[in-house]
Every structure is written in structure tokens, then in C-alpha cells.
Amino acid sequence: MVKIGDIKLNDFPLLLAPMEDVSDPPFRALCKEQGADVVYTEFISSEGLIRDAAKSVKKLDIYEKERPVGIQIFGANLESMLRTVEIVEKSNPDIIDINFGCPVKKVVSKGAGAGILKDIDLMVSLTDAMVKHTNLPITVKTRLGWDHDSIKIIEVAERLQDVGCKAISIHGRTRAQMYKGEADWAPIAEVKNNSRMHIPVFGNGDVNTPERAVEMRDKYGLDGAMIGRASIGNPWFFKQVKHFFETGKHLPEVTIAERVEMAKRHLQLEIDWKESEIVGVMETRRHYTNYFKGIPHFKDYRLKMVTSDSAQDVFNVFDEVLQKFA
């Protein structure tokens, strides 16, 4: 059994990674339904929250059916981060996660996200202060280091654990790599195999097949896998991995009818959550390429899906797809 604080999880849990403009409540609900053990919100700006920015506040929405759910925040200012903890607590999440890994320039330039990898002392002091400021478990998501020459992830993990961090998720790339090249899981395994470590160590990056999840579990010995890009437009991925764990076999390929039904549900959930047809339609577009990946001669249908501003038009395209390809 794996535990994050007092939260008991299955052996080798699968976590839905926090992804900007992806892991919102509708998508998290679908992934949870398909076997995700823990889900995380999109990352939320501490400065946006304390300014009461509408977009940041909206990201605090969580459904009961998502639990356990973590709200992820980022920032580099201690006072802002502590005020953010107080705001986040009101949404009653199960976990507060700190993003020390986002490589995007607009985040890094403010010293937040992966930018804080240049100042490990600040990373540790922020975590320490936040742990002391709440009774909720504090977890951290980070990267191997700023660049290849500054990887100190074993030291970083030890220090974060020592100040009360309850779990750490590590993306197997440096900030300099962004999302290029292959994720290196070996340094994550070194963190896990460090005799001083007793909190869960989750791996992230390139877990894109059930076989890769097995490799992360069996070869690298990590406590769980955080799934990111492989789940976009593919909430079934969690179910597929768990089935492979149990049987060593792949589930049958998701049918066209199942893909259409999931895409329909996703779009309707998005519209309902956003309370706006046009916003719901736009927010769901990024998933369609993967929902219908591998279907030959599909370009014209996908183009209709991602250019229409009308929900009914998109639903009509879904029905066309069902009739033509199922």
C-alpha cells in the first residue's frame, strides 16, 4: 500500500498529472472513472488567486467523485503562497501540491515552477513554511534539475522530505530539455532507492504504454506513475494500464462507438461546468485528435470538430463519425 499522509492508495497508484488547460474537472472526472487513483488540478497561480482572478479561482472547483484530488499551486513569493494555502483550503482538497517543475518561460521568468530549481534553499523554505501552515498533506512535483550540470535531485528530495513533504513526483527531464528527448528514470530510481527516503516517489514522463508503466514499477522500483500527455483524449489509458498489470494482456482497442460516446460526454460536461456553450466547445478541442487517433481519412471530420463554435454542430459531426466509421 502507498500512502500520501493518511490517504491510503493501491500498490503502484496511477496519478493524473496537473496539465494546464487539460486536467479540469470534466476531464479529471472521466479519468477517475477509468481508473486514475489520484487526480490533480491544472496548476494555479498563487498571484492570480490572491488577486481573485476569475480564471484562477475557477480552477479550484472540484467534484466529490474525483477524490482523492490534489490542488496544485505555483509561485515564488512566500507571503503569496501562504495566503494561497488559506484560499485553497476552503475548497477542501485532499492534497495541496506545489509545482516546482513547470518549464514554461512565463512561469520560470518569475522564479516559479522549474525556475526555483536555481534556488534549492528557496524551494525548501517555501515547502517548509507551507507544511507548517496547513494540516493538509503537502506534495511536490519537480524535475531532475535546471540542466544536466545541476542535477541534485537526491539532495532536493531528502531536504523536501525532511521539512514534511508527504510525496514527490519527479519528471525525468531537466528544465533545459523542456519536453524534448527521452525522460531519464534512472535518477528517479536513485531517489527511491536512497535509504533515507520513506515518502512515496512517483515517476513522470514518457509513461505512454502499459509496458512502460510496468517498466517504471518493476525495473525502476518507483511507487507509482504520474500520467500526463498519454491521457489527453484518452482517459481509458488508466484502465488499460491496470488491466495489463493484472493480466499481462492488452484490453481490446477502444471502439469507434466508445470514442464517440466519451467525446460527447466530455463536451457536455465541459459546457455544463463552464456554463457556456462556446467556452465548453473551445476547451474540448485539444482532445479530439487523440480521441479519434488512428482513423484513416479522418482529417475533414477533425477539421469540422475544431473549427465549429456550435455544440450542436460538433455533436452532429460525432454522429457522422459513428455512422461512417463504426
Side-chain angles (χ1 to χ4, degrees):
M1 179 185 294
V2 174
K3 293 179 66 177
I4 300 177
D6 293 329
I7 301 169
K8 297 177 181 179
L9 303 171
N10 296 327
D11 184 38
F12 203 82
L14 303 178
L15 295 72
L16 173 66
M19 292 177 282
E20 178 70 355
D21 295 327
V22 174
S23 51
D24 58 15
F27 184 62
R28 297 197 306 263
L30 295 177
C31 290
K32 186 72 177 181
E33 179 185 286
Q34 294 296 319
D37 295 292
V38 182
V39 296
Y40 288 89
T41 65
E42 304 167 77
F43 66 89
I44 305 173
S45 164
S46 59
E47 301 298 333
L49 269 187
I50 64 177
R51 291 198 311 271
D52 203 30
K55 184 176 181 180
S56 295
V57 173
K58 185 68 174 171
K59 291 179 182 178
L60 293 174
D61 289 355
I62 56 177
Y63 298 148
E64 282 301 309
K65 58 188 174 184
E66 295 181 61
R67 297 188 184 278
V69 56
I71 291 179
Q72 191 189 72
I73 57 178
F74 73 92
N77 178 275
L78 176 58
E79 181 181 350
S80 297
M81 291 291 273
L82 294 182
R83 288 177 62 190
T84 297
V85 167
E86 296 168 5
I87 296 169
V88 166
E89 283 180 323
K90 295 175 184 177
S91 292
N92 194 29
D94 301 287
I95 299 164
I96 297 178
D97 190 72
I98 314 173
N99 184 312
F100 290 145
C102 176
V104 176
K105 185 176 180 180
K106 67 178 181 180
V107 174
V108 169
S109 64
K110 298 175 182 176
I116 210 166
L117 287 165
K118 289 183 172 182
D119 190 344
I120 304 304
D121 289 342
L122 177 59
M123 177 194 287
V124 174
S125 64
L126 276 177
T127 305
D128 183 25
M130 292 173 68
V131 167
K132 292 173 179 174
H133 204 64
T134 182
N135 290 322
L136 291 170
I138 295 289
T139 62
V140 162
K141 184 173 188 290
T142 189
R143 287 183 169 236
L144 298 178
W146 176 258
D147 56 27
H148 180 74
D149 297 325
S150 62
I151 295 177
K152 300 177 181 178
I153 191 62
I154 295 176
E155 173 196 341
V156 168
E158 282 187 3
R159 293 180 65 183
L160 292 173
Q161 175 182 262
D162 289 347
V163 297
C165 176
K166 298 302 184 186
I168 184 168
S169 301
I170 304 171
H171 185 109
R173 291 181 175 87
T174 63
R175 191 274 168 175
Q177 286 179 274
M178 300 295 284
Y179 294 100
K180 298 176 182 177
E182 292 186 0
D184 185 0
W185 298 347
I188 311 175
E190 291 181 33
V191 173
K192 172 59 187 172
N193 294 326
N194 178 2
S195 61
R196 286 204 62 232
M197 293 298 292
H198 56 78
I199 62 172
V201 178
F202 303 123
N204 176 231
D206 295 355
V207 185
N208 47 28
T209 66
E211 287 86 351
R212 290 287 276 162
V214 168
E215 184 181 6
M216 181 173 275
R217 182 190 67 179
D218 296 347
K219 179 180 178 180
Y220 292 88
L222 303 184
D223 291 304
M226 180 171 275
I227 312 297
R229 287 176 287 175
S231 69
I232 299 175
N234 184 24
W236 301 277
F237 187 73
F238 300 94
K239 183 178 180 180
Q240 292 164 349
V241 171
K242 289 188 170 182
H243 181 81
F244 194 81
F245 280 170
E246 293 171 5
T247 67
K249 298 178 181 179
H250 289 274
L251 280 170
E253 187 173 341
V254 180
T255 66
I256 299 296
E258 289 171 321
R259 298 192 208 187
V260 168
E261 179 61 25
M262 187 69 81
K264 282 184 174 182
R265 289 182 58 207
H266 193 166
L267 175 55
Q268 190 59 58
L269 284 169
E270 202 75 53
I271 292 169
D272 293 345
W273 177 56
K274 290 291 187 179
E275 299 180 335
S276 165
E277 177 181 337
I278 182 63
V279 177
V281 166
M282 294 178 67
E283 290 288 332
T284 320
R285 286 175 176 172
R286 71 190 72 251
H287 294 267
Y288 295 147
T289 296
N290 283 354
Y291 270 132
F292 301 103
K293 188 175 182 178
I295 301 176
H297 312 299
F298 195 76
K299 181 178 179 181
D300 290 343
Y301 295 94
R302 182 166 55 247
L303 188 62
K304 291 180 188 177
M305 290 177 186
V306 300
T307 55
S308 175
D309 294 334
S310 162
Q312 189 57 57
D313 286 348
V314 179
F315 283 124
N316 289 341
V317 178
F318 290 155
D319 290 335
E320 287 181 47
V321 169
L322 189 61
Q323 291 173 11
K324 180 171 179 60
F325 296 101

